[in-house]
Amino acid sequence: AQSVAQPEDQVNVAEGNPLTVKCTYSVSGNPYLFWYVQYPNRGLQFLLKYITGDNLVKGSYGFEAEFNKSQTSFHLKKPSALVSDSALYFCAVRDQAYSGNTPLVFGKGTRLSVIA
Amino acid sequence: EPEVTQTPSHQVTQMGQEVILRCVPISNHLYFYWYRQILGQKVEFLVSFYNNEISEKSEIFDDQFSVERPDGSNFTLKIRSTKLEDSAMYFCANSESGTQADTQYFGPGTRLTVL
């Protein structure tokens, strides 16, 4: 069974500092990995995904994530945090071992607070 | 950039009543999904839908739930007899293809409150 763990419920970072939101996953095959962001009273917005190839994936709003197969991790990073980055971040996975229209499996989310 | 839209944004209903949640997907997307998020919990899959058929459903998606695409544009989720525990944010999502690598795009959600 697929699963995603986001070990931190809350991450606090000062504006201008680098940020990291952690995600680890478990799949039977190889993963497709996704990050979504949820602003208050809004839906989930796609940030970036890892499919194959380069382990460092760049996405929207200056975010990037690094796929590490040996550590089964896909941590979200940004070199310099903005107050406007404050939101709820979700990591999600799909297993390449399955074909077809299988659902995304989400972590429980990490709330990022960027303090001015 | 095309967006997924959902109506209503907030629905309040009495226990036992039927509700219909509506979604207008991105126009060339053919694969549709419903997820829900109970307050403070993770996003959970309900059902996927393609070519007017359910592709996959979770154990949450029992006989009280149904989905359809009545007019080729809207995609609806119906809950026949709502329960208190159905209170949640319901998200519609869609993707262009049904491949595992494809991105699912989410709507803003409908907050359902069952009293």
Side-chain angles (χ1 to χ4, degrees), chain A residues 28-107:
Chain A
S28 57
N30 290 312
Y32 294 123
L33 292 154
F34 303 80
W35 275 103
Y36 287 85
V37 59
Q38 185 180 31
Y39 296 101
N41 301 313
R42 301 285 297 276
L44 300 169
Q45 294 182 33
F46 170 72
L47 276 180
L48 51 80
K49 66 181 177 183
Y50 170 80
I51 302 302
T52 188
D54 194 347
N55 288 342
L56 185 64
V57 178
K58 294 188 185 296
S60 307
Y61 313 121
F63 283 93
E64 57 189 30
E66 186 165 14
F67 171 63
N68 187 317
K69 187 171 184 177
S70 63
Q71 296 186 3
T72 62
S73 67
F74 189 56
H75 301 330
L76 182 70
K77 301 182 180 185
K78 187 173 181 180
S80 178
L82 300 172
V83 172
S84 56
D85 293 329
S86 299
L88 191 55
Y89 290 81
F90 289 95
C91 183
V93 70
R94 282 173 124 176
D95 193 339
Q96 293 188 31
Y98 298 96
S99 60
N101 202 11
T102 62
L104 288 167
V105 174
F106 284 88

Side-chain angles (χ1 to χ4, degrees), chain B residues 9-23:
Chain B
S9 57
H10 192 187
Q11 174 93 46
V12 181
T13 190
Q14 295 291 324
M15 190 169 56
Q17 295 297 303
E18 175 183 286
V19 294
I20 298 176
L21 311 182
R22 292 182 170 80
C23 170

Side-chain angles (χ1 to χ4, degrees), chain A residues 4-18:
Chain A
V4 173
Q6 292 181 245
E8 301 154 318
D9 291 334
Q10 174 95 30
V11 170
N12 298 318
V13 63
E15 187 175 32
N17 282 2

Side-chain angles (χ1 to χ4, degrees), chain B residues 6-47:
Chain B
Q6 289 185 243
T7 55
S9 57
H10 192 187
Q11 174 93 46
V12 181
T13 190
Q14 295 291 324
M15 190 169 56
Q17 295 297 303
E18 175 183 286
V19 294
I20 298 176
L21 311 182
R22 292 182 170 80
C23 170
V24 179
I26 296 170
S27 63
N28 61 336
H29 286 198
L30 302 177
Y31 294 82
F32 310 107
Y33 314 82
W34 283 100
Y35 292 81
R36 79 172 185 191
Q37 183 184 29
I38 295 172
L39 189 63
Q41 299 186 24
K42 65 171 64 177
V43 177
E44 303 173 291
F45 168 74
L46 293 177
V47 66

Side-chain angles (χ1 to χ4, degrees), chain B residues 62-76:
Chain B
D62 61 21
D63 292 344
Q64 296 285 58
F65 292 88
S66 63
V67 289
E68 64 176 358
R69 201 164 179 228
D71 56 10
S73 59
N74 290 290
F75 178 50
T76 63

